[in-house]
Structures are given as C-alpha cells and as structure tokens.
Amino acid sequence: MTPFGWRCVCALFGILMVPVCYAFMRKISRNTWIASFAAALMVFDFMHFTLSRIGTRDVIVAFFIRCCPGIR
C-alpha cells in the first residue's frame, strides 16, 4: 500500500491491456491486421499511457471489463 506499489500494479495492468486488446479485436474482426492496428493504437494512446502511470484504478477496472465475456 505504497505509492510505488500502486504505480507498479497499474503499469503492469496497462502493459497487459495491449495483448488483451489485440485478442479482443482478433476475435471480433477475425483479421490480424485490424487487431494489430488496434493494439498499436492502444500503445500510442496518451490517455492510456498517462492513466497507467499515475496509479489510478481506472486501468485495472478497464482491464477486467475488457477481459470479461459479454453478458447474455
């Protein structure tokens, strides 16, 4: 429960969100190029970069929302 711990965990989830974004778009579009483009957009998105560095819970919540299957 230190500032370094919060930032480290959020940075880890921010890094893990890139392959999750790739897998999500690959499943939706069934196209490798579109999935790669979506992952590249996630890498170069400054809002995602900022949120994963300042230690807020938004990145962790977004990671688990993106990992969940759709509610039926």
Side-chain angles (χ1 to χ4, degrees):
M1 298 303 281
T2 63
F4 176 75
W6 277 103
R7 287 186 180 105
C8 184
V9 169
C10 288
L12 178 67
F13 276 98
I15 291 168
L16 290 175
M17 198 179 297
V18 175
V20 168
C21 177
Y22 175 83
F24 180 71
M25 284 306 295
R26 176 89 169 116
K27 186 174 184 177
I28 288 176
S29 68
R30 303 206 188 277
N31 190 340
T32 306
W33 290 103
I34 294 173
S36 299
F37 184 68
L41 285 178
M42 178 68 75
V43 168
F44 294 113
D45 181 24
F46 291 117
M47 186 66 165
H48 174 72
F49 178 73
T50 302
L51 285 176
S52 65
R53 292 208 31 178
I54 63 174
T56 59
R57 293 175 286 177
D58 300 339
V59 175
I60 299 170
V61 171
F63 175 81
F64 285 113
I65 288 172
R66 195 165 285 172
C67 286
C68 292
I71 299 173
R72 296 185 180 140

